[in-house]
Amino acid sequence: MSTEKAVKYVTETPEEEVKRVAEWINTEEYKEKNFARQALVINPAHTCQPLGAELAAHAFEGSLPFVHGSQGCASYYRSTLNRHFREPAPAVSDSMTEDGAVFGGQNNLHEALENAYALYKPKMISIFTSCMPEIIGDDLTAFIKNARQKGHIPQDTLLPYANTPSFNGSHIHGYDAMLLSILQTLTEGKQVEGRCTGKLNLIAGFDCNTGNYQEYKRILKAFGIPYTFLADISDVFDSPLDGTYQLYPGGTKLEDAADSINGKATITLGAYSTSKTFTWIKDNYSGKHISMPAPFGIEKTDAFIMKLADLFGKPVPESLKAERGRAVDAMTDAHQYMHGKKFAIYGDPDYLLGYISFLLEMGARPYHVLCSKGTKKLEKEIQALLDTSPYGKDAKIYINKDLWHLRSLVMTDPVDAVIGDTHAKFITRDAKIPLFRFGFPNFDRVNLHRYPLVGYQGVINMVSTICNKFIEITDDTCDDRHFEMMR
Ligand code: SF4
């Protein structure tokens, strides 16, 4: 019997109906209905809080991420990080199931802490929650206190913990909560009156581009500025393949993180993804505290470089001045391929502001600007940035809208390209325009996280990626008469 005959469809949709709906969802009429949608989110451009917490938990020496909650959720965070970086993301879960949901998850937590400590010998266990324990109201503070009292875990084990309810906020808020708890735990009692490490504490925020971390380190090395990178994932998710498996490769040294409270200055480049952490740092850390935008584009990179020079009383190194000149040259050589092009852009607030700066500097037009978890403050900041350039004047901002909304926008009011992550590939396929995967997560391309987007090198990378794609499209679509050696 052929398979065709063996399969009986419960409902059949006539081909004409499929065609009619496929065309209808590209119309203004459908867009209006789509934007009237209130209670349903379709393909949100963010992940849940615990995923961000896991990223922060991975970023410290010997730190084992520990999910208090469901095994399936833990697999989701791990696989998302694992697919983006193509590296292992080792984390444990206390695997709450139905009995945990009814009686609370304390037994799960205690048993899992014992096992995790015995099996994986971490220097620190960084605990965060999935939805289930948050919904039933598990008291993490009491559970962890009891674990120590009952001897499930040695008294002196470092156990930072964060409540990361996924029905609220996004991965950047979970990152913030976990980072805050780790720093509070490590620096407790470590502040020494009159002591100054002479170091800069640098915080990148939720950033899944390991090349960015390397770029920051390279800039600081060029200046000769001693630093502690707070939450350094660069070696964790970009460790060399040398035939040996390390459970805890890299990460910020616990000793350095503990002493960071006595630093000369602390800079956060992720104002939105470290807002609670930075508020706490301002109240508790010695030295100066600076929150500034991630250095995307020339102007923001200049501001970062000048801030470093100012804080540490050092001249800007000649090598960085030359790099700046090369970046400006790269922009000038390529500007005609981007000038006036319209972009739909979406992503986390700190990245989104960076994309806009960069596009405006290139004379490109950020046209549909969307953030699926944002605030009025973010909207105002985006608008203020757009208002600085004539190329931002016809941009529209969409806060708390999803990628299904973005699809309607792109299909009814077309753009030349989208900047986002892998999830927009269905939109750009339908719209027949390129997608630039600068955000997180990217599952369908390799090594993108190794190419920095920040600093002058980041400018060169973004200009080259975008402009070469537009040139390639011209080559692929032009007629023979216009197929030229020179472009
Ligand atoms: S949203 Fe909740 S249920 Fe879904 S993966 Fe995140 S923690 Fe788990």
Side-chain angles (χ1 to χ4, degrees), residues 47-51 67 70 72-74 76-77 129-133 135 164-167:
T47 65
C48 59
Q49 282 213 42
L51 187 144
V67 183
S70 325
C73 301
Y76 162 62
Y77 327 137
T129 50
S130 75
C131 284
M132 192 213 285
I135 290 170
T164 47
S166 302
F167 36 85

Side-chain angles (χ1 to χ4, degrees), residues 269-433:
L269 300 169
Y272 286 88
S273 62
T274 63
S275 66
K276 283 189 183 150
T277 304
F278 192 67
T279 302
W280 178 79
I281 281 177
K282 277 197 286 186
D283 291 340
N284 292 279
Y285 269 42
S286 307
K288 294 192 172 165
H289 316 111
I290 298 106
S291 174
M292 60 193 307
F296 283 76
I298 295 290
E299 196 178 331
K300 287 189 162 116
T301 302
D302 286 353
F304 177 57
I305 299 283
M306 294 315 292
K307 183 54 78 182
L308 292 176
D310 181 41
L311 282 173
F312 285 82
K314 286 176 179 273
V316 176
E318 289 305 317
S319 62
L320 292 181
K321 287 186 193 168
E323 242 176 63
R324 184 188 193 278
R326 275 184 220 112
V328 173
D329 192 34
M331 293 167 89
T332 312
D333 290 348
H335 77 279
Q336 64 271 34
Y337 305 108
M338 265 181 85
H339 188 95
K341 288 262 197 290
K342 283 185 185 174
F343 287 78
I345 59 176
Y346 71 90
D348 295 345
D350 296 312
Y351 258 54
L352 205 47
L353 289 161
Y355 298 153
I356 296 169
S357 293
F358 164 75
L359 290 175
L360 295 177
E361 285 176 359
M362 287 301 290
R365 294 159 66 193
Y367 192 66
H368 305 307
V369 179
L370 183 141
C371 181
S372 76
K373 272 285 174 197
T375 55
K376 282 270 165 222
K377 178 177 172 281
L378 173 68
E379 190 171 354
K380 273 191 193 161
E381 196 173 343
I382 292 175
Q383 191 59 59
L385 186 56
L386 291 166
D387 289 344
T388 60
S389 164
Y391 304 107
K393 76 173 173 16
D394 50 4
K396 288 212 175 61
I397 306 166
Y398 302 90
I399 299 289
N400 299 332
K401 298 291 177 221
D402 56 43
L403 293 185
W404 194 244
H405 291 116
L406 189 73
R407 188 190 182 284
S408 275
L409 293 170
V410 167
M411 299 312 283
T412 55
D413 194 357
V415 290
D416 296 293
V418 174
I419 295 179
D421 63 82
T422 287
H423 290 98
K425 72 186 291 183
F426 299 96
I427 299 174
T428 52
R429 187 175 202 243
D430 289 348
K432 299 184 176 47
I433 53 175

Side-chain angles (χ1 to χ4, degrees), residues 33 57 87 136 195 241 274 317 339 409 438 471 485 487:
K33 290 189 186 302
E87 296 282 334
I136 64 174
R195 171 169 164 72
L241 182 60
T274 63
H339 188 95
L409 293 170
F438 294 146
I471 294 169
M485 286 295 288
R487 285 286 177 208

